[in-house]
Amino acid sequence: MTSSPSVPVPWAGLDTHRTAVESVAHAIADGRYAADSAPELPGLAAQLKLPEPVLREALRALVAKDVLDGSGRIRPRSAWNLLDPDVLRWTLSPVPTDRTDRTDRTDRMDRTDRTERTPPVLYEDLHELRRSVEPSAAALAAQHRTTADLAALDAALAAMAHAERSAQGDPARAARADADFHTALLTASGNRFYAQLPRVIGPALSARAQVVHAGPHHHPVPAHTEVADRVRGQDPDGAYTAMLDLLDLSLRDDPRPVI
């Protein structure tokens, strides 16, 4: 294995085991180790400045997360469990684009099994998932919403508007408001499975929203308000269509792959 640059450890305030898991996972996710390679304890210990016993436990944790196979080799990204919030968060880590060993990504990316993923491509998958779920959830919300559900939607809209009015915008606050709105909508559907979706796709939604709101983007409030108004008016067909329109508008703001 070729030597790798030292990986900074920004999680010093967490317990040592969690620090080790996060450090190794991010090193794998950002491409420092290729699929089917096995990170070696001495090298990891030198790079991360953590004791080998702690790193050994971290590698076991990544086996349990299906990032590594039983022999300690890195599984292809297509085999990673994106329904695990930690794995999804690691997958969304920024991928270096200036590394000399990552030349000609088009030759290395097989679009049929998508074993090499960039966050923008993963956002496309996220959009497809949301388009298949959220319009139906909006229609159900128009039928089942409660006063508390409407209050939650209105609070998210108010926070969203405030974030957009902030000087230079407030990407973190806008991301939280966006997540709160869609969580409230899924809850208002009355479907317990829909209501659980934010637990698994929340990291992807938050990561996408922060990237989108940090740059030029369509103002989110009008389209979200239209969905809320249709839900409030108990108009299932209108809520369904309004959510489709919102998602199609958001697609235009999605990060694009860097090839």
Side-chain angles (χ1 to χ4, degrees), residues 40-114:
E40 299 171 354
L41 282 176
L44 284 173
Q47 292 165 29
L48 304 180
K49 304 188 186 315
L50 290 169
E52 289 190 21
V54 172
L55 289 169
R56 185 176 293 109
E57 291 303 314
L59 292 177
R60 287 175 181 165
L62 293 178
V63 170
K65 294 277 191 183
D66 286 333
V67 173
L68 304 179
D69 65 20
S71 66
R73 294 186 176 277
I74 298 170
R75 295 165 62 87
R77 289 184 181 234
S78 61
W80 291 11
N81 177 19
L82 296 183
L83 296 182
D84 183 310
D86 285 333
V87 176
L88 181 56
R89 177 167 51 81
W90 298 328
T91 303
L92 291 168
S93 300
V95 178
T97 57
D98 58 347
R99 287 168 50 95
T100 57
D101 61 338
R102 299 182 74 87
T103 57
D104 197 359
R105 287 188 61 86
T106 55
D107 287 343
R108 297 181 57 197
M109 181 179 288
D110 182 344
R111 295 285 179 172
T112 59
D113 65 12
R114 299 178 179 179

Side-chain angles (χ1 to χ4, degrees), residues 168-214:
Q168 306 302 319
D170 187 340
R173 183 167 185 169
R176 287 194 299 272
D178 185 74
D180 287 346
F181 181 92
H182 291 278
T183 297
L185 182 79
L186 291 166
T187 299
S189 73
N191 183 296
R192 286 176 289 180
F193 290 99
Y194 284 174
Q196 295 296 313
L197 277 177
R199 293 190 177 192
V200 292
I201 66 173
L205 289 177
S206 296
R208 176 202 167 274
Q210 291 203 49
V211 171
V212 166
H213 289 281

